[in-house]
Amino acid sequence: MVTSLLMAFLVGGFICAVAQLVMDLTCLPPAHIMVLTVVAGAVLSGLGFYEPLIKFGGAGATVPLTSFGNALTKGALVEAQRIGFLGAFTGVLKEVSLGISLAIFIAWFTALIFNPKG
Amino acid sequence: MAENKAGKQTLVFKKKIVLMEAASIVGPKEGQGPLAQYFDLILADDLLGEKSWEKAEQRIMIDTIRLALGKANLTEDDIEYFLAGDLLNQIITASFSARELQIPFLGIYGACSTIIEGLALGASLIEAGFADRVLTASSSHNCTAERQYRAPTELGVQLTPTAQCTVTGAGVGILSSQGTGPAITHATIGKVIDMGIKDPSDMGTAMAPAAADTLNQHFQDTNRTPNYYDLILTGDLAQIGSDILRELMRKNGTLLGTNYNDSGIMVFDKKQGVNSGGSGCGCIASITCSYVYKKMLAGELKKVLLVGTGALLSTTTYQQKESIPGIAHAIALEYLG
């Protein structure tokens, strides 16, 4: 228990520290950092490095945005193996459907209730 | 030959054009700063019960104008021209305020230097005999400006240490050909100077060369030195920009002493978490129309040089990776009692 908490902290902390360093050293706006972390997760996943990272760090690897990139690649690879070339496209959003649908629903609901001013 | 000109860029006002009244209203954060005692009104709520931040900023400008008119025992009909500007696209705060006030209006824009540009132009109208009373105003609101220039305020993005915090507030000055008060004696109109700074979170650095150029030109045109003034106030280069200005002036052989300060440094306390300091049209405007004006009336400051500095970028030019042009205008206010 304590070991997995520590590992999650170290792995998650490391990913966030890298993103923070990129932010501080490059002056890139937050939107670019978001895209970069997703792409980094997708690439690491494609190279086969992300699954071991999840086994090692647990939530430390699944909670940061890189995990979203991992899920994109994973979905594409699984579907490509199942139905062939087109699966690489139809599968991209399969794994992340929950996250995206929920985000759209929550955003819609928030817009319905609140009136953003800033 | 222009009779009212000194040197290359300086207007000399021969008539006695006085800043007969000035007023300022600021937001709650500015009200917690070191200058709180000088502002006429500190808002408890920076939304003022309005539906949008833009409406709130217009309310601040209109309220400040009415406050200045009330203090001077004047009505809107007594003002011949209204010169104003702000940071928002198409200077909506100024023009929407003018819609309510019904005073003949000239919209002006010089980013944070707007109030100084307004005072210089207003004095010129009076000097030329076109008017006896001109009102000039400028404002900014943290939530409208930060959103337009940087990111949605609700996103809560991290700011860099060079970033400045937009002041919520407005300053209003009424210029008159009669009466008493500090007189505008000179105005030095600045050139647009761009040294290639591209980071919109570091506007102090982008504007410092323009401030140095205008200051040097002012001293050259008027044959004055920094020691002539009790206060030289730039606004708003904040901490980083004013350090660079001191360095630029030193390299040019002019030392800025303890009589130099910057409104972006003065408006907030470092403990308020504002990084490099304050910024925005409302910054030097509210300080000029409160601290400076009241200190002059009290006789604590007799000769003041106000240098408004503006970063003339837009979000479009920033997104197209253009660098940030800077401008600075100076006016000399003198009140010899």
Side-chain angles (χ1 to χ4, degrees):
Chain A
M1 167 77 174
V2 177
T3 335
S4 59
L5 280 178
L6 185 72
M7 283 307 156
F9 175 77
L10 289 177
V11 170
F14 177 75
I15 294 172
C16 294
V18 170
Q20 183 69 52
L21 277 172
V22 174
M23 211 161 159
D24 288 350
L25 298 174
T26 60
C27 289
L28 283 174
H32 287 193
I33 303 291
M34 189 177 80
V35 173
L36 274 178
T37 39
V38 172
V39 170
V43 171
L44 284 175
S45 171
L47 297 174
F49 293 132
Y50 211 86
E51 275 309 314
L53 199 66
I54 292 177
K55 280 205 183 85
F56 182 67
T62 56
V63 173
L65 260 179
T66 41
S67 161
F68 190 84
N70 170 49
L72 290 174
T73 306
K74 224 166 75 182
L77 290 178
V78 168
E79 278 300 287
Q81 267 166 5
R82 201 171 68 86
I83 61 166
F85 180 69
L86 278 181
F89 297 91
T90 57
V92 174
L93 297 182
K94 270 212 165 134
E95 290 260 341
V96 295
S97 169
L98 173 73
I100 291 180
S101 306
L102 211 60
I104 292 173
F105 178 73
I106 293 172
W108 178 83
F109 208 65
T110 309
L112 203 65
I113 302 172
F114 297 105
N115 184 19
K117 297 180 187 74
Chain B
M1 182 65 200
E3 287 171 24
N4 287 23
K5 196 177 154 198
K8 260 175 78 183
Q9 290 164 231
T10 301
L11 287 62
V12 182
F13 301 109
K14 291 179 179 162
K15 282 187 188 168
K16 192 181 174 200
I17 301 161
V18 297
L19 188 58
M20 69 171 291
E21 195 54 78
S24 63
I25 296 180
V26 296
K29 188 169 183 174
E30 293 69 24
Q32 289 161 7
L35 299 180
Q37 65 180 107
Y38 297 101
F39 300 122
D40 290 304
L41 187 67
I42 293 163
L43 300 169
D45 166 24
D46 56 3
L47 192 55
L48 287 96
E50 296 286 350
K51 278 189 173 163
S52 70
W53 300 113
E54 284 72 18
K55 281 185 185 225
E57 185 177 338
Q58 287 158 30
R59 180 83 354 243
I60 295 174
M61 185 182 266
I62 293 166
D63 286 354
T64 315
I65 291 166
R66 298 224 160 109
L67 185 66
L69 288 171
K71 281 167 74 180
N73 267 325
L74 297 172
T75 66
E76 286 142 42
D77 286 337
D78 296 318
I79 304 296
E80 288 151 294
Y81 301 103
F82 169 40
L83 310 181
D86 57 274
L87 286 175
L88 303 185
N89 292 336
Q90 286 78 43
I91 52 167
I92 51 169
T93 309
S95 24
F96 281 60
S97 298
R99 175 177 73 177
E100 186 161 329
L101 293 165
Q102 292 294 301
I103 307 168
F105 168 64
L106 287 167
I108 53 174
Y109 182 75
C112 310
S113 71
T114 302
I115 192 82
I116 306 300
E117 182 177 347
L119 289 168
L121 289 171
S124 306
L125 286 174
I126 295 174
E127 176 78 19
F130 292 125
D132 284 311
R133 278 200 204 102
V134 176
L135 186 145
T136 178
S138 184
S139 72
S140 56
H141 194 301
N142 183 283
C143 296
T144 58
E146 298 279 333
R147 184 252 311 271
Q148 179 179 303
Y149 285 99
R150 295 180 183 117
T153 46
E154 285 141 349
L155 194 59
V157 296
Q158 293 174 11
L159 297 172
T160 62
T162 56
Q164 292 170 238
C165 173
T166 309
V167 164
T168 300
V172 170
I174 303 174
L175 292 171
S176 171
S177 60
Q178 277 138 29
T180 56
I184 298 188
T185 58
H186 296 80
T188 303
I189 307 300
K191 292 180 285 200
V192 174
I193 291 180
D194 189 336
M195 301 297 277
I197 301 290
K198 289 190 172 176
D199 181 3
S201 297
D202 188 9
M203 302 211 284
T205 306
M207 296 186 287
D213 189 76
T214 301
L215 269 176
N216 283 325
Q217 196 64 49
H218 177 81
F219 294 136
Q220 195 185 323
D221 288 351
T222 56
N223 280 322
R224 288 174 177 175
T225 63
N227 292 334
Y228 178 85
Y229 294 102
D230 302 323
L231 172 69
I232 297 170
L233 182 71
T234 54
D236 20 66
L237 302 173
Q239 192 63 58
I240 290 166
S242 54
D243 287 346
I244 295 171
L245 175 66
R246 274 184 195 275
E247 182 66 19
L248 288 172
M249 294 300 287
R250 194 182 60 76
K251 279 188 179 154
N252 200 49
T254 313
L255 276 183
L256 293 175
T258 49
N259 62 340
Y260 167 66
N261 212 334
D262 182 83
S263 56
I265 298 173
M266 291 167 74
V267 69
F268 293 121
D269 196 301
K270 280 209 169 77
K271 289 183 200 126
Q272 288 180 282
V274 289
N275 297 306
S276 185
S279 69
C281 287
C283 189
I284 193 170
S286 62
I287 292 179
T288 299
C289 299
S290 61
Y291 174 85
V292 174
Y293 187 67
K294 286 176 183 172
K295 285 258 179 192
M296 290 192 91
L297 288 187
E300 290 171 47
L301 295 172
K302 293 191 187 305
K303 301 169 195 163
V304 175
L305 185 67
L306 299 166
V307 187
T309 59
L312 304 175
L313 79 166
S314 84
T315 43
T316 309
T317 63
Y318 157 61
Q319 282 159 6
Q320 292 176 351
K321 308 213 185 298
E322 286 262 10
S323 53
I324 303 171
I327 193 159
H329 302 302
I331 57 166
L333 273 178
E334 299 180 54
Y335 192 39
L336 305 172

